[in-house]
Amino acid sequence: MRLKHVRGMRVGRTGNFFARRRPLYASAVTQSDQQAPHFLVIGGGPAGTAFATTAAARGAAVTLVEKEIGGGAAHLHDCIPSKTMVASAIRVSVLRDAAKLGLTIDPAKVDMATLSARIKAITGDINRSRTALLESQGVEIVHGEGSFMDDHTARVVTEDGERVIPFDKALVATGSVPRVPDWAPVDGERVLTTRDAYDLPEVPEHLIVIGSGVTGVEFVHIFQSLGAKVTLVVSRQQILPHRDPEVAAVLEEDFLDRGVKLLIGARAVGIDLEGDEVVVRCDDGRVARGSHALLAIGSVPSTANLGLENAGVETDNGYLVVDEMQRTSVPHIYGAGDCTGQLPLSSVAAMQGRKIALHALGVPVTPVDYSKAAQAVFTEPEIASVGLEEVEAAAEGRKVRTTKVPFAANERAVLQGYTRGFVKVISDPATGVVLGGTIVGHRASELISAVALAVTARVTVSQLVDTLMVHPSMSEAIADAAE
């Protein structure tokens, strides 16, 4: 069996499953209890939930083991909490810019206690909805820490003791946790991981964000909007180092306009606490002084205590090594989500979970096509992309046609005051088929869906031009770029 190991950039999308939805594959012919295979799932995030509901609806007996409440790291600690804070940050930004639209509004005040309570309420609702969905499908939920005893048996340590669970097939979907280097004295109060940022008693006076990838720039946007002074430590020569330089330039310009200080080409190597100050030291001798520091330098897989070696499952630096159908080195044990090191999006994890369940049941499925996964960065302006990017095409020596329309030329963007950014459409010069697109602008995460559909359905630029879109609307810029 040929195995592969793919790494990707982290961007989040929720992919929620709510209890009010109809059961997946409800019309499928189910098997009898005696014939039903027993599937084990370790991890109750997007991948685990999608796998469990899909398999259970088709007749499998499913046991899901989750050491926390349902929802997984993405919904409980990362994606949903951060996007809840983004929602508040955007409201504050809108109020501050109201004068440009002829409105006089008192300065917005941020109540961190109320914001934190809202985050907890939303994540609690997600837990209840996911639990209700799983239970409605007949999935058995076991709260505890699961690990493999061998390749067909798992042990779960719960509050009530220990339980042994035999299984026919299993899915490991345990996610990841923030990476904390040895030089960072994280205390959850002044030196923070991203997961510490949701329950602060007040907005930091001066926050130093270390890491300029997707997560880092989102937290810059959040806390600057909420009123903090922000310094961003950028180890490369641009923020979002793996993205289109034109995209990075727009966001850098926005950050500078907001008063964010950028330390470009500075790699953090140490953090010292000096009185009330947090001092971040960089490898080139520069230092940043603030009241708080936040680490946003990637994540590591949550696989350390799973007993994978007992089952014979191969790993690479802690990540599960999987093939194109998500099988590990033990074919009846699958891996999905962040713990595989593949494209770490909630939407991707959920799709993996669904396809794995069908594959485990013997239903023919195709592998997940990661090249068609839409991604977004939730700053203001937002950044979204799907399919082939211009820098990727150039690196591959691939001939493409790229057209770009700035939002400054879009009437809806002008009247709303959201003129920063652009729409870029990439197509095949021979056939006109849309190969990819990038949008930088207000609500780009919503606008990209039209481009994602075009890429998936192999729509041509001519067909996009012939689409009668609402006028005035920012989505018209997509057709304009195609034209």
mmCIF file of all heavy atoms in Angstrom, residues 20-37:
data_model
loop_
_atom_site.group_PDB
_atom_site.id
_atom_site.type_symbol
_atom_site.label_atom_id
_atom_site.label_comp_id
_atom_site.label_asym_id
_atom_site.label_seq_id
_atom_site.Cartn_x
_atom_site.Cartn_y
_atom_site.Cartn_z
ATOM 1 N N ARG A 20 -31.463 19.239 14.235
ATOM 2 C CA ARG A 20 -32.718 19.341 13.507
ATOM 3 C C ARG A 20 -32.623 18.837 12.070
ATOM 4 O O ARG A 20 -33.625 18.722 11.368
ATOM 5 C CB ARG A 20 -33.201 20.795 13.507
ATOM 6 C CG ARG A 20 -32.263 21.759 12.780
ATOM 7 C CD ARG A 20 -32.906 23.150 12.708
ATOM 8 N NE ARG A 20 -32.023 24.100 12.076
ATOM 9 C CZ ARG A 20 -31.166 24.873 12.701
ATOM 10 N NH1 ARG A 20 -31.062 24.767 14.013
ATOM 11 N NH2 ARG A 20 -30.408 25.728 12.058
ATOM 12 N N ARG A 21 -31.383 18.556 11.620
ATOM 13 C CA ARG A 21 -31.240 18.034 10.264
ATOM 14 C C ARG A 21 -31.757 16.618 10.171
ATOM 15 O O ARG A 21 -31.739 15.855 11.126
ATOM 16 C CB ARG A 21 -29.763 18.053 9.853
ATOM 17 C CG ARG A 21 -29.212 19.450 9.634
ATOM 18 C CD ARG A 21 -27.773 19.398 9.214
ATOM 19 N NE ARG A 21 -27.614 18.650 7.971
ATOM 20 C CZ ARG A 21 -26.466 18.551 7.333
ATOM 21 N NH1 ARG A 21 -25.404 19.135 7.799
ATOM 22 N NH2 ARG A 21 -26.379 17.846 6.228
ATOM 23 N N ARG A 22 -32.238 16.245 8.973
ATOM 24 C CA ARG A 22 -32.673 14.870 8.765
ATOM 25 C C ARG A 22 -31.490 13.931 8.827
ATOM 26 O O ARG A 22 -30.372 14.302 8.481
ATOM 27 C CB ARG A 22 -33.354 14.740 7.400
ATOM 28 C CG ARG A 22 -34.687 15.457 7.320
ATOM 29 C CD ARG A 22 -35.313 15.230 5.958
ATOM 30 N NE ARG A 22 -34.484 15.807 4.913
ATOM 31 C CZ ARG A 22 -34.731 15.680 3.618
ATOM 32 N NH1 ARG A 22 -35.759 14.971 3.213
ATOM 33 N NH2 ARG A 22 -33.961 16.246 2.728
ATOM 34 N N PRO A 23 -31.692 12.691 9.259
ATOM 35 C CA PRO A 23 -30.577 11.736 9.337
ATOM 36 C C PRO A 23 -29.910 11.559 7.986
ATOM 37 O O PRO A 23 -30.566 11.522 6.948
ATOM 38 C CB PRO A 23 -31.261 10.440 9.795
ATOM 39 C CG PRO A 23 -32.499 10.892 10.490
ATOM 40 C CD PRO A 23 -32.954 12.120 9.756
ATOM 41 N N LEU A 24 -28.580 11.474 7.989
ATOM 42 C CA LEU A 24 -27.853 11.236 6.755
ATOM 43 C C LEU A 24 -28.131 9.832 6.242
ATOM 44 O O LEU A 24 -28.137 8.877 6.998
ATOM 45 C CB LEU A 24 -26.349 11.407 7.001
ATOM 46 C CG LEU A 24 -25.902 12.782 7.543
ATOM 47 C CD1 LEU A 24 -24.417 12.736 7.854
ATOM 48 C CD2 LEU A 24 -26.203 13.870 6.544
ATOM 49 N N TYR A 25 -28.368 9.723 4.930
ATOM 50 C CA TYR A 25 -28.617 8.432 4.303
ATOM 51 C C TYR A 25 -29.767 7.679 4.998
ATOM 52 O O TYR A 25 -29.722 6.478 5.182
ATOM 53 C CB TYR A 25 -27.350 7.558 4.331
ATOM 54 C CG TYR A 25 -26.177 8.221 3.697
ATOM 55 C CD1 TYR A 25 -25.165 8.778 4.481
ATOM 56 C CD2 TYR A 25 -26.083 8.340 2.313
ATOM 57 C CE1 TYR A 25 -24.087 9.413 3.889
ATOM 58 C CE2 TYR A 25 -24.993 8.967 1.726
ATOM 59 C CZ TYR A 25 -24.007 9.496 2.519
ATOM 60 O OH TYR A 25 -22.930 10.124 1.943
ATOM 61 N N ALA A 26 -30.810 8.430 5.391
ATOM 62 C CA ALA A 26 -31.898 7.821 6.142
ATOM 63 C C ALA A 26 -32.642 6.761 5.335
ATOM 64 O O ALA A 26 -33.252 5.858 5.894
ATOM 65 C CB ALA A 26 -32.883 8.899 6.591
ATOM 66 N N SER A 27 -32.584 6.859 4.012
ATOM 67 C CA SER A 27 -33.322 5.908 3.187
ATOM 68 C C SER A 27 -32.541 4.634 2.901
ATOM 69 O O SER A 27 -33.049 3.723 2.260
ATOM 70 C CB SER A 27 -33.708 6.565 1.852
ATOM 71 O OG SER A 27 -32.539 6.936 1.148
ATOM 72 N N ALA A 28 -31.289 4.572 3.382
ATOM 73 C CA ALA A 28 -30.466 3.406 3.088
ATOM 74 C C ALA A 28 -30.998 2.169 3.799
ATOM 75 O O ALA A 28 -31.586 2.238 4.870
ATOM 76 C CB ALA A 28 -29.025 3.664 3.516
ATOM 77 N N VAL A 29 -30.799 1.027 3.193
ATOM 78 C CA VAL A 29 -31.201 -0.239 3.811
ATOM 79 C C VAL A 29 -30.204 -0.558 4.912
ATOM 80 O O VAL A 29 -28.995 -0.628 4.674
ATOM 81 C CB VAL A 29 -31.224 -1.372 2.767
ATOM 82 C CG1 VAL A 29 -31.567 -2.682 3.430
ATOM 83 C CG2 VAL A 29 -32.215 -1.043 1.666
ATOM 84 N N THR A 30 -30.675 -0.720 6.132
ATOM 85 C CA THR A 30 -29.786 -0.979 7.260
ATOM 86 C C THR A 30 -29.590 -2.472 7.445
ATOM 87 O O THR A 30 -30.390 -3.296 7.028
ATOM 88 C CB THR A 30 -30.357 -0.376 8.545
ATOM 89 O OG1 THR A 30 -31.630 -0.968 8.812
ATOM 90 C CG2 THR A 30 -30.514 1.121 8.411
ATOM 91 N N GLN A 31 -28.497 -2.808 8.143
ATOM 92 C CA GLN A 31 -28.197 -4.202 8.405
ATOM 93 C C GLN A 31 -28.777 -4.595 9.756
ATOM 94 O O GLN A 31 -29.084 -3.768 10.588
ATOM 95 C CB GLN A 31 -26.679 -4.390 8.426
ATOM 96 C CG GLN A 31 -26.003 -3.907 7.148
ATOM 97 C CD GLN A 31 -24.498 -3.940 7.309
ATOM 98 O OE1 GLN A 31 -23.948 -4.954 7.699
ATOM 99 N NE2 GLN A 31 -23.842 -2.856 6.991
ATOM 100 N N SER A 32 -28.912 -5.852 9.984
ATOM 101 C CA SER A 32 -29.400 -6.309 11.273
ATOM 102 C C SER A 32 -28.329 -6.106 12.321
ATOM 103 O O SER A 32 -27.154 -5.928 12.015
ATOM 104 C CB SER A 32 -29.739 -7.807 11.207
ATOM 105 O OG SER A 32 -28.549 -8.559 11.075
ATOM 106 N N ASP A 33 -28.727 -6.109 13.600
ATOM 107 C CA ASP A 33 -27.777 -5.898 14.681
ATOM 108 C C ASP A 33 -26.676 -6.958 14.670
ATOM 109 O O ASP A 33 -25.526 -6.683 14.974
ATOM 110 C CB ASP A 33 -28.505 -5.907 16.028
ATOM 111 C CG ASP A 33 -29.398 -4.690 16.199
ATOM 112 O OD1 ASP A 33 -29.162 -3.695 15.467
ATOM 113 O OD2 ASP A 33 -30.319 -4.723 17.021
ATOM 114 N N GLN A 34 -27.031 -8.197 14.294
ATOM 115 C CA GLN A 34 -26.055 -9.277 14.302
ATOM 116 C C GLN A 34 -25.013 -9.087 13.197
ATOM 117 O O GLN A 34 -23.858 -9.454 13.360
ATOM 118 C CB GLN A 34 -26.755 -10.623 14.132
ATOM 119 C CG GLN A 34 -27.609 -11.014 15.357
ATOM 120 C CD GLN A 34 -28.256 -12.369 15.163
ATOM 121 O OE1 GLN A 34 -28.387 -12.851 14.033
ATOM 122 N NE2 GLN A 34 -28.681 -12.989 16.258
ATOM 123 N N GLN A 35 -25.437 -8.501 12.093
ATOM 124 C CA GLN A 35 -24.531 -8.325 10.966
ATOM 125 C C GLN A 35 -23.763 -7.009 11.023
ATOM 126 O O GLN A 35 -22.775 -6.841 10.328
ATOM 127 C CB GLN A 35 -25.315 -8.371 9.650
ATOM 128 C CG GLN A 35 -25.991 -9.715 9.395
ATOM 129 C CD GLN A 35 -26.883 -9.658 8.161
ATOM 130 O OE1 GLN A 35 -27.538 -8.648 7.922
ATOM 131 N NE2 GLN A 35 -26.893 -10.729 7.385
ATOM 132 N N ALA A 36 -24.219 -6.078 11.838
ATOM 133 C CA ALA A 36 -23.650 -4.739 11.840
ATOM 134 C C ALA A 36 -22.201 -4.760 12.298
ATOM 135 O O ALA A 36 -21.876 -5.313 13.345
ATOM 136 C CB ALA A 36 -24.469 -3.826 12.750
ATOM 137 N N PRO A 37 -21.308 -4.135 11.519
ATOM 138 C CA PRO A 37 -19.917 -4.016 11.974
ATOM 139 C C PRO A 37 -19.835 -3.015 13.113
ATOM 140 O O PRO A 37 -20.675 -2.126 13.237
ATOM 141 C CB PRO A 37 -19.192 -3.500 10.726
ATOM 142 C CG PRO A 37 -20.246 -2.744 9.973
ATOM 143 C CD PRO A 37 -21.527 -3.495 10.215
#
